Amino acid sequence: RLNSIAKEKGYFSYFIGGLVRDWVLKKPIKDIDMVIQGDALEIAKIYGEKYNISVQYFPRFQTAKIPLDDRIFNNIDLISTRKEIYEFPGALPKIIEGNLKDDLYRRDFSINTLCYSLNSFKIIDLFQGEKDIKNKLIRVLYSKSFMDDPTRILRAIRFKNRFEFKYEAYTKEYMIEAINKKAFATISSDRIKKELILCLQEEKVKEILMDFIEFNIIETLFFIKDISENQFIWLEKVCKIIKNKNKVLVILLIVFFNANQESIEKFCDFYQINKDYKKLLISNKEVFLKIKNELKKNNLTPFEIYRLFSSLKEEQIIFLNIYLQEKFFIKKFLEYYVNELRDVHIFITGKDLISLGIPPGPIYDVIFKRVLKNKINLGWKTKEKEIEY
Ligand code: ATP
């Protein structure tokens, strides 16, 4: 429907970017990006009015988001073909009107320049994207590409590892050159953070971090010198356990496990990570070591075991489980906590205490804690037991 509106206006429209790349690669398609050689906002507006759909407009960027009534895709991003001009390395590009070729040339790698014409129903491949896909190559379109936009260094590493491609020889040289010229220093931490998070959400995060080390950017990105063999083993295990994107915090806990406080503080301040996460990253190793030592004691009561683990975040439990892997004797306590203790909750509430004639006050907290302790240690199952106590 969008395409026929565009056609009526005499515009050409194309599917573009990751969608066509993933289609050629026979991978699942995630987002729909469409470019219009013409006025994309005008098309979005006519479409919204005609079908009574509320479209989001971003006039500054000449883009629109059109919601889809679809279970797989949430929306289509619509954009006018454009040309980008970088006034100096790392600058946000100046956007001016451009044709399809200009729009393809502003893109990061040849594999992302493929587009599918909705007028001729053919793939248009002006920068040999299909050949590079066939040869499994990540290739930039011009030599200063990484200097213009250093986030492309992270994008190159992300796509290369996601698809198990290689860096085209010149592209690798340009990357190294940009890194040596301190290209990352020319962009904001926000832009680095956005791409770094995408890297850490990838399935091949271990290989991505290995590339960060190979390209000598681990210190620039994480303010640490290295990642040990053991940490890589843990990372690999995490990726086997968690297949979705919700593993960034576990990855960070592992990456910073041997780091000193100064590095963690620099990292958190640079990327504006909130105080709670900062505290968590700094204290994590100490917490793990304490737990390991405590668990060596004999005769721990169930409640003491509960107390050791109950303040941990889910991500710490995932990592701790891997960390304790070889130490079966200790690990069984964690399994006991997760399977038997973690979900124990008391039934009684403030209302019950009021009806028992106890005036509200700090004593309530003391009572709740005692009830929980006894419930865990004595295996109470019913609310009657709690009230009786
Ligand atoms: P993914 O599969 O991770 O979503 P994608 O290719 O769809 O990857 P997006 O980040 O959604 O990537 O970007 C969409 C398109 O915009 C890319 O295919 C690429 O052509 C272009 N693009 C995004 N970021 C840049 C950049 N920094 N420099 C040049 N082109 C970019």
Side-chain angles (χ1 to χ4, degrees):
R1 296 196 296 203
L2 273 169
N3 186 34
S4 44
I5 296 171
K7 261 187 193 160
E8 273 167 32
K9 286 275 158 195
Y11 301 153
F12 292 97
S13 37
Y14 308 86
F15 284 142
I16 199 146
L19 182 162
V20 188
R21 175 200 69 215
D22 290 342
W23 187 57
V24 172
L25 277 164
K26 300 192 172 57
K27 303 261 179 210
I29 287 163
K30 287 184 283 177
D31 314 305
I32 304 186
D33 290 313
M34 194 167 158
V35 286
I36 308 267
Q37 193 156 312
D39 187 345
L41 288 189
E42 182 192 3
I43 302 300
K45 189 160 177 276
I46 298 173
Y47 178 84
E49 281 165 6
K50 190 165 174 187
Y51 297 105
N52 199 18
I53 286 170
S54 80
V55 171
Q56 274 177 285
Y57 302 98
F58 306 94
R60 225 186 108 208
F61 302 101
Q62 281 293 300
T63 62
K65 210 176 246 319
I66 297 175
L68 285 183
D69 190 12
D70 187 296
R71 260 192 269 156
I72 302 173
F73 303 110
N74 297 325
N75 36 56
I76 293 190
D77 285 319
L78 204 65
I79 185 165
S80 302
T81 51
R82 65 204 33 211
K83 187 172 179 163
E84 286 182 349
I85 297 166
Y86 291 87
E87 286 173 328
F88 51 89
L92 283 170
K94 213 170 115 189
I95 295 168
I96 57 171
E97 238 184 86
N99 58 26
L100 180 68
K101 188 166 183 188
D102 296 323
D103 198 275
L104 297 179
Y105 190 66
R106 75 181 172 90
R107 291 173 189 266
D108 44 7
F109 312 113
S110 63
I111 60 166
N112 288 337
T113 63
L114 291 174
C115 66
Y116 180 81
S117 162
L118 290 160
N119 295 72
S120 66
F121 303 108
K122 277 189 194 139
I123 286 185
I124 296 178
D125 181 10
L126 301 184
F127 296 97
Q128 302 188 6
E130 276 196 286
K131 188 172 148 211
D132 286 336
I133 286 183
K134 223 171 108 210
N135 294 327
K136 296 176 173 276
L137 287 177
I138 299 294
R139 183 170 60 82
V140 281
L141 307 185
Y142 59 97
S143 60
K144 293 274 172 290
S145 181
F146 293 117
M147 288 304 294
D148 278 347
D149 180 352
T151 66
R152 291 174 185 160
I153 297 170
L154 300 182
R155 293 178 65 84
I157 295 175
R158 181 155 68 89
F159 289 126
K160 176 258 187 184
N161 285 294
R162 182 196 295 176
F163 301 128
E164 299 183 10
F165 279 17
K166 287 199 284 282
Y167 306 106
E168 179 264 342
Y170 287 113
T171 298
K172 193 167 179 179
E173 272 180 27
Y174 303 146
M175 257 169 105
I176 294 170
E177 191 189 332
I179 291 165
N180 289 341
K181 285 190 174 159
K182 309 247 173 296
F184 281 113
T186 63
I187 55 172
S188 69
S189 61
D190 245 19
R191 287 177 66 195
I192 304 176
K193 182 179 176 181
K194 193 174 140 264
E195 284 297 335
L196 190 57
I197 289 174
L198 292 175
C199 284
L200 301 184
Q201 288 174 332
E202 288 283 322
E203 224 178 290
K204 298 267 169 54
V205 62
K206 180 191 143 199
E207 289 76 5
I208 289 176
L209 288 164
M210 286 168 90
D211 271 8
F212 288 169
I213 290 176
E214 192 195 320
F215 281 106
N216 227 344
I217 53 175
I218 197 81
E219 194 166 359
T220 310
L221 298 173
F222 290 98
F223 302 91
I224 55 171
K225 297 262 181 247
D226 207 356
I227 296 176
S228 72
E229 194 111 333
N230 247 346
Q231 285 168 295
F232 276 120
I233 295 172
W234 297 334
L235 285 166
E236 191 158 5
K237 287 184 176 160
V238 166
C239 295
K240 278 195 188 132
I241 299 170
I242 315 175
K243 292 279 176 215
N244 60 26
K245 292 180 170 180
N246 304 329
K247 60 178 179 221
V248 175
L249 184 54
V250 193
I251 305 280
L252 291 180
L253 287 169
I254 295 178
V255 166
F256 287 111
F257 194 68
N258 292 323
N260 57 34
Q261 182 163 340
E262 196 190 339
S263 300
I264 301 175
E265 278 176 353
K266 274 187 188 164
F267 174 85
C268 293
D269 296 345
F270 184 69
Y271 294 111
Q272 297 186 356
I273 310 250
N274 79 38
K275 273 195 209 135
D276 291 344
Y277 285 122
K278 188 178 187 174
K279 238 166 84 185
L280 192 77
L281 290 172
I282 291 174
S283 64
N284 187 56
K285 185 169 187 174
E286 214 174 293
V287 170
F288 277 22
L289 293 178
K290 191 177 147 219
I291 290 177
K292 213 162 101 178
N293 279 334
E294 289 289 313
L295 289 176
K296 283 182 193 152
K297 287 185 189 156
N298 279 329
N299 302 329
L300 287 175
T301 66
F303 187 67
E304 280 166 337
I305 297 173
Y306 174 88
R307 277 257 300 266
L308 271 182
F309 295 118
S310 61
S311 63
L312 298 184
K313 276 181 105 49
E314 183 63 34
E315 287 85 351
Q316 284 177 296
I317 291 186
I318 293 169
F319 177 22
L320 187 61
N321 191 31
I322 293 168
Y323 176 68
L324 297 176
Q325 200 94 37
E326 303 84 40
K327 302 166 185 67
F328 174 73
F329 161 73
I330 294 177
K331 203 183 152 212
K332 75 178 195 306
F333 287 111
L334 178 61
E335 280 164 8
Y336 173 55
Y337 167 74
V338 170
N339 297 330
E340 310 273 338
L341 306 181
R342 183 165 59 174
D343 298 327
V344 174
H345 293 292
I346 55 171
F347 296 127
I348 54 163
T349 62
K351 269 192 194 158
D352 295 309
L353 298 189
I354 289 172
S355 64
L356 286 170
I358 306 167
I363 188 76
Y364 275 31
D365 231 21
V366 179
I367 295 173
F368 290 143
K369 275 196 188 126
R370 288 254 181 95
V371 171
L372 180 67
K373 178 175 172 183
N374 283 305
K375 184 167 186 170
I376 287 176
N377 279 342
L378 305 174
W380 294 346
K381 296 272 179 266
T382 63
K383 184 168 177 177
E384 283 71 39
K385 276 272 182 207
E386 293 175 19
I387 291 184
E388 199 183 301
Y389 172 75

